[in-house]
């Protein structure tokens, strides 16, 4: 049975994205809008962890965490907070409420998945649901995480560390539009200033590499929004 994760979020689009990431890695998920709904669901389902979506205009994250930690049914569940940019001041309140782990978004999906697996003492997996060493794929494009290897239609594609991390984020959620800030958070080391133009240059390098080995793998530019890896045709 897949480990069941409760996702507390009022953002439907964010929940759908996060639930997709979890599902691909072997988890199941259920949404909840607040503590009352979360506790009601906990009476019906056997959750293994909770993920809190903490937005900049919301102050309910710590309240939900505190409520869940007080209840015998949910008190032992690992609770992970995903804090939106601009809401960093929630860190202290979350710590007081008993949060187990917190990250400021954007966060690479693999980092969240690794945290969940560590908290639940599960074997770490690649984003394609295979144990580490498996291939992550999207159409004719394949990526082997532990070997840092990329193939297009069976041909090796040589990418630098930044390009590899950018492509990894996209291949984990094909069709999703990632902002430049999300790409920076996933691919560059923290505390390094990276401009939009730098992101564009790395995207251009990836496109050039894909054009030769995997022409069917297309990175789409979405004006004023970011970039996405097109989903393969069914």
């Amino acid at each position: 049975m897949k480990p069941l994760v409760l996702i507390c979020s009022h953002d439907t689009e964010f929940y759908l994205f996060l639930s997709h990431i979890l599902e691909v890695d072997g988890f199941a998920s259920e949404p909840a809008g607040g503590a009352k709904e979360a506790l009601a669901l906990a009476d019906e389902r056997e959750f293994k962890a909770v993920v809190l979506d903490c937005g900049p205009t919301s102050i309910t994250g710590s309240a939900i965490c505190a409520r869940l930690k007080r209840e015998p049914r949910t008190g032992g569940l690992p609770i992970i907070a995903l804090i939106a940019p601009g809401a960093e001041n929630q860190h202290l309140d979350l710590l007081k409420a008993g949060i187990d782990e917190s990250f400021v978004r954007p966060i690479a999906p693999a980092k969240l998945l690794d945290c969940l697996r560590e908290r639940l003492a599960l074997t770490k997996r690649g984003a394609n649901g295979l144990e580490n060493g498996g291939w992550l794929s999207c159409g004719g494009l394949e990526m082997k995480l532990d070997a840092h290897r990329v193939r297009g239609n069976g041909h090796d594609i040589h990418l630098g560390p930044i390009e590899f991390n950018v492509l990894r984020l996209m291949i984990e959620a094909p069709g999703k539009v990632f902002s430049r800030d999300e790409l920076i958070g996933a691919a560059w080391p923290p505390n390094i200033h990276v401009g939009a133009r730098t992101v564009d240059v790395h995207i251009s390098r990836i496109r050039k590499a894909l054009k030769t080995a995997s022409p069917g793998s297309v990175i789409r530019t979405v004006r004023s929004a970011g970039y996405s890896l097109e989903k393969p045709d069914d």
Side-chain angles (χ1 to χ4, degrees):
M1 183 178 294
K2 294 181 177 180
L4 185 60
V5 178
L6 180 64
I7 302 176
C8 294
S9 176
H10 292 288
D11 186 336
T12 302
E13 184 176 345
F14 179 75
Y15 166 73
L16 291 174
F17 166 64
L18 189 55
S19 64
H20 169 74
I21 294 297
L22 292 173
E23 181 181 355
V24 170
D25 201 62
F27 292 90
S29 65
E30 289 282 349
K36 185 176 181 180
E37 185 178 359
L39 291 170
L41 284 170
D43 286 335
E44 304 170 2
R45 309 295 300 274
E46 290 290 337
F47 291 106
K48 300 299 183 183
V50 180
V51 176
L52 288 178
D53 175 22
C54 302
T57 60
S58 171
I59 58 173
T60 59
S62 58
I64 293 174
C65 179
R67 180 86 179 271
L68 293 174
K69 287 295 185 182
R70 283 199 304 266
E71 297 293 329
R73 178 78 168 167
T74 54
L77 293 178
I79 302 180
I80 302 171
L82 301 182
I83 304 173
E88 291 85 353
N89 60 338
Q90 296 187 32
H91 269 299
L92 182 57
D93 288 338
L94 286 166
L95 286 172
K96 291 178 179 178
I99 200 74
D100 294 284
E101 190 70 74
S102 61
F103 300 99
V104 176
R105 292 162 50 193
I107 174 179
K111 191 172 184 179
L112 172 62
L113 294 170
D114 284 351
C115 178
L116 278 170
R117 291 196 164 277
E118 182 179 346
R119 291 284 178 179
L120 300 181
L122 299 174
T123 302
K124 290 184 179 179
R125 295 171 177 254
N128 55 357
L130 299 176
E131 292 186 5
N132 277 359
W135 287 91
L136 181 64
S137 63
C138 177
L141 191 62
E142 297 176 303
M143 176 177 285
K144 190 171 176 61
L145 301 181
D146 62 344
H148 209 275
R149 185 180 176 190
V150 183
R151 296 189 311 200
N153 298 315
H155 301 287
D156 285 335
I157 299 174
H158 301 288
L159 298 174
I162 297 296
E163 286 89 12
F164 184 90
N165 289 334
V166 168
L167 185 59
R168 174 179 177 170
L169 184 65
M170 291 183 168
I171 202 174
E172 285 177 330
K176 174 178 169 55
V177 179
F178 290 97
S179 69
R180 289 175 176 83
D181 285 342
E182 288 176 308
L183 296 176
I184 291 169
W188 274 265
N191 303 320
I192 294 179
H193 175 72
V194 179
R197 176 58 182 159
T198 301
V199 177
D200 297 339
V201 169
H202 285 279
I203 290 291
S204 177
R205 291 175 181 170
I206 298 172
R207 281 174 167 160
K208 184 177 180 180
L210 295 181
K211 185 177 181 180
T212 301
S214 184
S217 303
V218 178
I219 294 179
R220 183 168 56 99
T221 300
V222 181
R223 186 180 294 274
S224 302
Y227 298 100
S228 72
L229 179 66
E230 288 192 351
K231 292 182 179 179
D233 294 331
D234 296 328

